[in-house]
Amino acid sequence: MPRLHRSLYVQVLAAIMLGVIFGIVAPERAAAMRPLGDGFIKLIKMLIGPIVFATITVGIARMGAMRDVGRIGIRTLVYFEVVSTLALVIGLVVVNILKPGVGLHVPAGAAPPATGAAGAPVTTVEFLLNIIPSTMLEGFVRGDILQVLLVSLLFGIALLLQGERAGSMVLWIEQLSHTLFVIVGIVMRLAPIGAFGAMAFTVGRYGVASLLSLGKLMASVYITCFLFVLIVLGSILRLAGLKLFRFLRYIAEEILIVLGTSSSESALPRLMLKLEQLGCSKPVVGLVVPTGYSFNLDGTAIYMTMAAVFVAQVSGVHLTLKEQLSILAILLLTSKGAAGVTGSGFITLAATLAAVPAVPSAGLALLVGVDRFMSEVRAITNLIGNAVATVVIARWDGALDLAHARRVLEENEIPASVARISRGER
């Protein structure tokens, strides 16, 4: 019990409950708690530019290593891009069908405008010209994520073209990325305060009905991720010659670890050992699994399309097909920066909304309280997606002992090395 109250999950849950109660009992005073949620969002936005730059730059630069391994690297990138794009499209379709944000209207003035939304260009030419910053640092100063993305892409490509000569700089930027995510961890400790303020304000200003829309969003994300794993990943695995439910039973312990930590990276070492034991070659496992934690985040992709459109719905903004496709295009880049770290998904969502002037950031405050409760399903879907990707690419490359894999899944054998780790042995 002493450890329970230290859990961020428990703290956020308690803060949300207190916020809801406060909003019901004293709605006017609860509505005044908005600065707590807004302050937390400002801390998140402060980190967007540097994190997007570091993660995307390193991701592109690391493609050089994948290019060097040749056939496996190319197949891995193709698979990741196809499946993650499919996840984004599915999320977009489902949120348009279920419309979880319809019925709750948050005026655009209820929160500060999206960063970089002021003076948004009207024509396509002006929009494209606005992406080009006057200086390389302008996008960081103004908080214009599209400009940051352009600089990140150019920087990453430049490092990629230099190859080994740029190795030290890539390592430095990668270390910067790790440091930034340590800061994310520090900021996320304030999540209970932000969640309390955001939830108290939401219930106090918009009433208990606002909880229904948030519940619909959570249910929509969970259902979509479940169906994605069952139908899409299940079909892909079936084409590889294995059965989904036996495979899920085999990695059940890793799924439970991710459920408890809300971070798919927490199970990475065990997952790699199990996939090798399953019959996937060590080079394929060593390449696909770590790379997948940056390039193949299916659960995060589903959540971000649904959350972005949800914010538009609660803000009363009707997104045209062109605007939704532009969100999809931006997410193809920003979702690659959502590392398997708790809280990074919310930062990436904020970055995406900051790049879409049509969607005000008013509804973003609504997600502060419930984002934490969707992180588990995102992380679990990411884990399963990367595990399936490894098996499929190994089979595609002829580096999977299929008969051995089927036997292991039928008997549900646990690798001896994994069992030793579970017992705390070396």
Side-chain angles (χ1 to χ4, degrees), residues 80-210:
F80 285 170
E81 199 57 45
V82 170
V83 177
S84 60
T85 301
L86 183 60
L88 288 169
V89 172
I90 290 173
L92 196 62
V93 171
V94 173
V95 75
N96 276 285
I97 293 174
L98 298 181
K99 302 184 185 302
V102 173
L104 173 64
H105 180 61
V106 178
T115 306
V122 178
T123 68
T124 302
V125 173
E126 289 174 333
F127 175 77
L128 294 175
L129 286 176
N130 189 64
I131 295 176
I132 305 173
S134 300
T135 67
M136 291 191 72
L137 297 179
E138 182 184 2
F140 295 92
V141 175
R142 291 178 50 198
D144 192 319
I145 298 304
L146 289 180
Q147 293 184 352
V148 173
L149 282 172
L150 177 62
V151 173
S152 303
L153 287 170
L154 292 174
F155 214 89
I157 292 170
L159 294 176
L160 177 63
L161 293 175
Q162 292 180 74
E164 295 182 0
R165 289 180 297 171
S168 58
M169 179 167 284
V170 174
L171 290 174
W172 184 86
I173 298 176
E174 188 173 30
Q175 183 58 51
L176 173 64
S177 176
H178 293 324
T179 303
L180 288 169
F181 279 113
V182 171
I183 298 176
V184 170
I186 296 172
V187 170
M188 290 307 294
R189 299 306 304 179
L190 300 175
I193 298 175
F196 169 78
M199 194 58 66
F201 164 72
T202 301
V203 177
R205 175 67 67 86
Y206 307 109
V208 181
S210 61

